[in-house]
Amino acid sequence: MRKLACLAVLLMSVGGASAEIVLIQAEDAVMLGTNYVVLADTNAPPYAFETNYITPVATDTGPAVFSRAVYEVENLTSNATYDLYMRVHVGPDGYSDDSIFVNTAGFGTNSVNFAYQNGIAGRTGLDGQSCSAAGFHWIKMNGEGDLGGLGPFTYPGTNTHFLIAAREDGLDVDALAFVTADLPVTDAMLNPSNTTVEVWPVGGIPEGQTADSTPLIEAYFLHGAGSVDTNAIAMTLDGSSVTTYTTAYTNFITTVSYTPADELALDVTHTASVVVATSPGGSFVTNEFMFYVGYPITYVDVTTNNTLMATTNSGPVGAGIPFETVSTNGVSLWRVRTDFGVGESVTNEPAADDYDPPYSGEHSVYESHGGSDCPRLKTTMYVSETNTYNVYTYLWDNGAGWDIAAGLTDTTNALTAYNASSTNAVALFDVGPDFWGTHTLYRVFIGVVQIMDTNTPIVVYMEDVPLSGDRTWIDGIGYQPLAGDGPPPGPTIDPDIRSLSIADGIAYLTWTSEAVGTYAIMHKTNINQSTWTPVKTGIPGGESTTTDSVSLSGAEREFFMIEGN
């Protein structure tokens, strides 16, 4: 059975992912403008946390300074991103009482750019109730409604004030919550009076893969005022009891961590579980999932010894690569930068220690300037065993969208482009800051090959994305054997072409796909021809659809088919 590509799992994690939630009472502002007043909830029991909440006494479309509330946000992780939730209640005038300003510039008071969230009266809270119903209701502020285009906020570590401001009198605010970006939350998770333990995140048990045979295994339990009884924790790994785990508590989350002392078996699906209880006598909650320990990834540095000009758009075949010594916009030549990158001696999945300065001559990357269209490269690597292999490329990005085009076939068509935002890209580690700021090494899955003869190499083709305006930093390639003999199973559902468009002699196709196996674009110019000709192969499939392109042949009629492999 072919396993999934490496991914981080957060219900119970392999690799040390984490989550944070910081709750702030609305009345605890370090500066509360005079347009806001603090009221006590007189309901019995009160709907408001800690009884009090804030409400504006006048409408302000400015908003002026006296309509603002400033909060000091502490105990978050520097440079991490967070979603903003607010616990609100819409007043008796409904849609005239349902808007508020948020500082879209994020944390800090030096930059203020207020935008309002309106229509809250029509929103449904995390508790499933209308925000106009009695009581207070949690809603997400960024990425939804009028702030749909606003992404999560980056926590700077310093100057950590956050601003909101009144817009319409009548929108009551009870609390704010900053939550790790994209964490799926429930009303109970943001309720500090919740005394039960909740497995995080809510939902199904994911299955993950790791190439690490001694992975860090972490189970997360989110709870409110109730605490986890550390004397009532039971952890197992593959059915055996584990007693050498550690526990930590921060921001309503108890984390149970364990790293196996001995290597786990490769090519095996393992099962881990943690059972905890709320503080003495409470209910028990189980956190369990399965993960697959695959074979390790072998890293191969891109050098002049294994990399030549490709046969397409480069010529002559197998020629050495012409380099420039200084990266210049518009000069379509590669530059070898010997002051950055992972070294030739590295053969395992690269880690931050492989990048330690001072740099030796072997540390290098192949760089293309943003305004260039450099020759296509052909990198060759040999494996010691016949098998089926995942193939990867490694590129750097400093947050500016640096990209790469890569594939397993040298065709006249453009190779598939990838960057840090691509589904197949996995961030490995950060380095810097230095001249280029903080930059990150990414591993990108580009396809699967079957090697039937060890004299046949794995060949990877790479190039910059022509004239994209973004730099390309190529560092290396990698391969990972898969379980079993023979090729992995392809997609289980036949691909269905959803759209075909043509522009400037290029055909753009979108088809239904699965994230298993690869796809090929097949072509013929006469529908009566008995065979289809592959024009682009080894295209990784997306979770639901995949889009790729090929050049038209110039024939009067052209037909395309998608084949799953």
Side-chain angles (χ1 to χ4, degrees):
M1 174 182 178
R2 182 173 177 231
K3 302 299 180 180
L4 301 176
C6 184
L7 49 89
V9 288
L10 297 178
L11 177 61
M12 189 176 215
S13 85
V14 174
S18 61
E20 295 171 292
I21 297 175
V22 167
L23 297 177
I24 303 172
Q25 302 302 320
E27 64 272 17
D28 290 340
V30 294
M31 192 284 287
L32 195 64
T34 56
N35 194 12
Y36 271 119
V37 295
V38 178
L39 298 179
D41 187 348
T42 58
N43 292 286
Y47 292 117
F49 297 156
E50 300 185 7
T51 305
N52 294 330
Y53 62 95
I54 64 172
T55 192
V57 295
T59 296
D60 184 358
T61 58
V65 173
F66 57 76
S67 292
R68 302 177 184 179
V70 181
Y71 296 92
E72 177 67 39
V73 184
E74 300 176 322
N75 300 322
L76 294 178
T77 302
S78 295
N79 298 316
T81 56
Y82 298 88
D83 292 322
L84 171 64
Y85 289 78
M86 295 179 64
R87 193 169 189 257
V88 298
H89 172 253
V90 175
D93 291 333
Y95 284 95
S96 295
D97 279 347
D98 71 338
S99 64
I100 192 169
F101 284 104
V102 173
N103 182 19
T104 62
F107 293 94
T109 56
N110 296 328
S111 179
V112 177
N113 182 29
F114 281 109
Y116 61 80
Q117 181 70 279
N118 199 2
I120 295 175
R123 295 277 299 274
T124 300
L126 294 181
D127 58 358
Q129 299 186 45
S130 166
C131 291
S132 300
F136 289 91
H137 314 278
W138 284 108
I139 60 170
K140 185 181 177 185
M141 300 301 289
N142 61 290
E144 298 187 9
D146 289 315
L147 301 181
L150 179 61
F153 300 98
T154 300
Y155 187 71
T158 59
N159 195 13
T160 55
H161 293 93
F162 195 89
L163 283 68
I164 63 172
R167 184 172 184 268
E168 292 176 317
D169 59 334
L171 184 71
D172 306 326
V173 181
D174 181 39
L176 296 80
F178 289 93
V179 180
T180 297
D182 299 324
L183 170 64
V185 298
T186 65
D187 183 71
M189 292 168 66
L190 300 182
N191 184 345
S193 63
N194 176 30
T195 57
T196 62
V197 176
E198 183 166 357
V199 176
W200 172 83
V202 175
I205 308 296
E207 182 179 49
Q209 173 178 328
T210 175
D212 186 353
S213 58
T214 57
L216 171 64
I217 303 170
E218 291 189 330
Y220 300 95
F221 297 89
L222 191 143
H223 46 87
S227 61
V228 166
D229 181 1
T230 56
N231 294 315
I233 295 176
M235 184 174 192
T236 63
L237 177 60
D238 294 334
S240 298
S241 176
V242 173
T243 59
T244 54
Y245 55 79
T246 60
T247 61
Y249 171 83
T250 180
N251 296 336
F252 301 101
I253 296 172
T254 291
T255 304
V256 182
S257 304
Y258 171 68
T259 300
D262 300 318
E263 291 190 354
L264 299 179
L266 298 178
D267 193 23
V268 171
T269 298
H270 301 269
T271 301
S273 69
V274 180
V275 180
V276 302
T278 52
S279 200
S283 60
F284 286 87
V285 181
T286 301
N287 189 337
E288 180 179 66
F289 88 126
M290 302 171 70
F291 62 95
Y292 171 78
V293 178
Y295 291 98
I297 297 173
T298 298
Y299 174 82
V300 178
D301 206 41
V302 170
T303 70
T304 54
N305 294 323
N306 59 21
T307 302
L308 296 172
M309 302 275 272
T311 60
T312 300
N313 301 333
S314 298
V317 176
I321 305 166
F323 293 108
E324 63 171 330
T325 57
V326 177
S327 181
T328 307
N329 190 16
V331 175
S332 294
L333 294 176
W334 292 101
R335 176 189 178 190
V336 177
R337 299 199 67 124
T338 57
D339 48 352
F340 297 95
V342 175
E344 289 181 52
S345 62
V346 177
T347 57
N348 297 322
E349 177 93 304
D353 290 345
D354 299 317
Y355 192 86
D356 286 343
Y359 308 104
S360 66
E362 67 167 359
H363 288 76
S364 63
V365 297
Y366 280 25
E367 178 190 59
S368 164
H369 198 280
S372 300
D373 183 4
C374 294
R376 183 175 295 177
L377 305 178
K378 174 184 178 181
T379 301
T380 301
M381 54 186 172
Y382 288 86
V383 295
S384 60
E385 297 180 355
T386 58
N387 207 320
T388 304
Y389 294 87
N390 285 330
V391 183
Y392 306 91
T393 185
Y394 293 80
L395 74 149
W396 290 91
D397 178 43
N398 74 338
W402 295 357
D403 50 26
I404 190 174
L408 300 174
T409 305
D410 187 25
T411 73
T412 57
N413 300 301
L415 300 175
T416 303
Y418 302 98
N419 59 27
S421 300
S422 299
T423 303
N424 297 341
V426 176
L428 298 181
F429 61 88
D430 298 331
V431 296
D434 52 25
F435 176 79
W436 292 101
T438 298
H439 42 293
T440 305
L441 182 65
Y442 288 86
R443 180 188 68 234
V444 179
F445 170 72
I446 59 173
V448 177
V449 297
Q450 184 183 15
I451 301 298
M452 303 298 293
D453 182 348
T454 56
N455 292 317
T456 301
I458 297 175
V459 180
V460 178
Y461 297 92
M462 295 175 288
E463 60 191 4
D464 55 2
V465 180
L467 309 178
S468 68
D470 300 314
R471 290 180 184 266
T472 296
W473 276 19
I474 300 173
D475 208 337
I477 56 179
Y479 60 90
Q480 178 189 35
L482 298 176
D485 298 322
T492 59
I493 301 174
D494 290 336
D496 179 24
I497 295 178
R498 291 298 178 86
S499 67
L500 169 63
S501 60
I502 297 174
D504 300 324
I506 305 293
Y508 298 88
L509 298 97
T510 297
W511 62 91
T512 56
S513 62
E514 300 170 86
V516 58
T518 60
Y519 293 85
I521 299 177
M522 313 295 287
H523 172 266
K524 59 183 175 181
T525 57
N526 187 329
I527 194 63
N528 294 319
Q529 289 174 312
S530 60
T531 60
W532 292 84
T533 300
V535 291
K536 196 167 191 179
T537 61
I539 304 170
E543 291 290 345
S544 57
T545 62
T546 296
T547 299
D548 215 313
S549 62
V550 293
S551 298
L552 297 174
S553 68
E556 182 179 355
R557 291 184 177 88
E558 302 194 32
F559 303 89
F560 294 97
M561 179 182 74
I562 305 300
E563 181 179 83
N565 299 292

